[in-house]
Amino acid sequence: MLTFSERLRRRMSEWWGMPGGWRNAASWRRPLHRLVERHQLRHRTWPLSRWHCCDHWQRSLLNKWNSREFAAMHGVAVPRLYWHGRRIADLPIDSLPENFVLRSAWSTQKRGTQVFAGGLELLDQRAFTRAELPVALRRKYGQRSRFPILAEEFMTTADGRHGQGLEYRFYCMRDKVALIQQVQHCGRSARWSHYFPDWQPIADRVSIAKEPLGILDRPEGLDEMLAIARRLGAACGTFMRVDLYDTASGRYFGEFSSAPNWGRLFTPWADRYLGGVWQEVCPESI
């Protein structure tokens, strides 16, 4: 049986040609389709047959525009979208609310994300005026970014604050939730803890990437979040991590992750457990 990390590394090779790039044979399989797929923005009104464009169609869900649309077409709430585009000059900076989020459609580990609340960028703890922000964005992306930028609603915490709160990440093998990762963000760092779907703490460490958060109370919206995660996991048809937010306004979709931590830093226990669930539920899937 393949471990979870081994499956993720196989996925990265088959989906993304990693490692090796063009030295990896997988990079030469339908390269034009992969290029179109990477830049194509899909829509919630499309029939599923258009989403299922190839054997590895799920990789298109890593585009944050596409993931929003996919979640919405499956009846899951997504943050309000204020604007999207590539030209920094078109960003309607003066009409954005006091609290908002900017995300690049393609980015990992929050490298392309900025969270603004009351004039402060929370991830880097830096103050911005409305005039300074476009200058900073042009410095980062140029006049025109390679991929669309999304300006979205900044969802509140469960107690109604505009601040960094808890995030819930569901490791789904189709419609089976193997475990839940509860994440407490602080700037660009985080701590986390792990639970089984019934909110029983997992005694063994799952990953050595972050410091443990400790055991917290079961969230009030857990049952609804589990239902959402199972619905989206079933729609994906393979392993996918489904990230959700439990807010004062309800449960909202965050994003998908197809290869958490690039398949690194999982403990031997987690590798065996998650690899076993993958083998049990969807052994043939990449």
Side-chain angles (χ1 to χ4, degrees):
M1 183 190 77
L2 295 176
T3 68
F4 185 58
S5 295
E6 288 170 340
R7 283 187 174 274
L8 292 183
R9 286 193 290 270
R10 185 175 73 167
R11 168 177 285 187
M12 290 166 62
S13 177
E14 291 290 320
W15 283 17
W16 310 112
M18 296 171 59
W22 292 112
R23 296 188 300 276
N24 187 318
S27 296
W28 295 93
R29 297 175 193 145
R30 303 186 67 189
L32 181 58
H33 174 80
R34 290 179 60 198
L35 179 63
V36 171
E37 176 190 75
R38 188 168 179 82
H39 290 274
Q40 186 180 62
L41 299 184
R42 305 182 178 208
H43 199 272
R44 67 189 71 180
T45 60
W46 286 13
L48 281 175
S49 59
R50 288 192 66 184
W51 286 84
H52 297 179
C53 58
C54 68
D55 290 342
H56 304 322
W57 67 271
Q58 297 95 335
R59 64 191 169 192
S60 69
L61 300 178
L62 279 299
N63 179 308
K64 290 178 174 55
W65 167 277
N66 293 344
S67 67
R68 284 176 49 92
E69 293 298 291
F70 190 78
M73 76 181 289
H74 286 89
V76 180
V78 297
R80 184 180 310 141
L81 183 68
Y82 300 123
W83 175 84
H84 76 280
R86 295 172 57 194
R87 291 185 70 248
I88 302 302
D90 292 341
L91 176 66
I93 190 66
D94 292 329
S95 64
L96 292 176
E98 182 180 23
N99 308 302
F100 63 95
V101 176
L102 293 180
R103 299 197 297 167
S104 173
W106 281 103
S107 63
T108 59
Q109 299 178 338
K110 297 192 181 299
R111 292 191 183 96
T113 300
Q114 295 169 291
V115 180
F116 297 92
L120 182 69
E121 201 288 307
L122 297 183
L123 301 187
D124 293 322
Q125 290 293 300
R126 179 181 171 187
F128 277 98
T129 66
R130 294 286 169 139
E132 291 171 336
L133 180 56
V135 175
L137 292 174
R138 281 192 290 270
R139 190 179 303 121
K140 182 175 184 177
Y141 296 108
Q143 297 291 338
R144 185 179 180 88
S145 66
R146 182 181 180 189
F147 298 108
I149 297 172
L150 313 180
E152 296 176 309
E153 180 182 9
F154 181 11
M155 304 307 303
T156 67
T157 60
D159 58 3
R161 295 178 296 105
H162 278 102
Q164 288 185 284
L166 294 169
E167 179 184 10
Y168 297 87
R169 299 171 176 176
F170 296 79
Y171 281 63
C172 299
M173 316 294 176
R174 292 183 176 158
D175 63 348
K176 182 179 179 67
V177 176
L179 63 80
I180 305 167
Q181 184 179 74
Q182 184 184 47
V183 185
Q184 173 68 69
H185 294 284
C186 182
R188 291 194 180 272
S189 64
R191 295 188 299 156
W192 55 40
S193 54
H194 297 88
Y195 302 83
F196 290 112
D198 61 358
W199 205 248
Q200 290 301 309
I202 296 177
D204 296 271
R205 289 197 67 176
V206 170
S207 171
I208 61 173
K210 307 289 184 185
E211 289 298 315
L213 173 61
I215 306 306
L216 301 181
D217 292 338
R218 174 190 175 102
E220 291 185 6
L222 180 62
D223 289 342
E224 185 179 347
M225 287 192 288
L226 281 167
I228 291 170
R230 289 171 178 140
R231 188 188 321 158
L232 292 178
C236 290
T238 183
F239 163 72
M240 194 69 78
R241 198 188 76 195
V242 180
D243 298 355
L244 303 175
Y245 293 99
D246 187 17
T247 80
S249 302
R251 270 45 69 187
Y252 281 77
F253 175 76
E255 62 184 19
F256 291 115
S257 177
S258 66
N261 297 325
W262 302 111
R264 298 177 288 110
L265 305 177
F266 289 96
T267 64
W269 177 87
D271 253 350
R272 291 192 302 271
Y273 170 66
L274 291 170
V277 179
W278 197 326
Q279 177 65 27
E280 172 193 348
V281 177
C282 44
E284 77 289 349
S285 71
I286 298 295

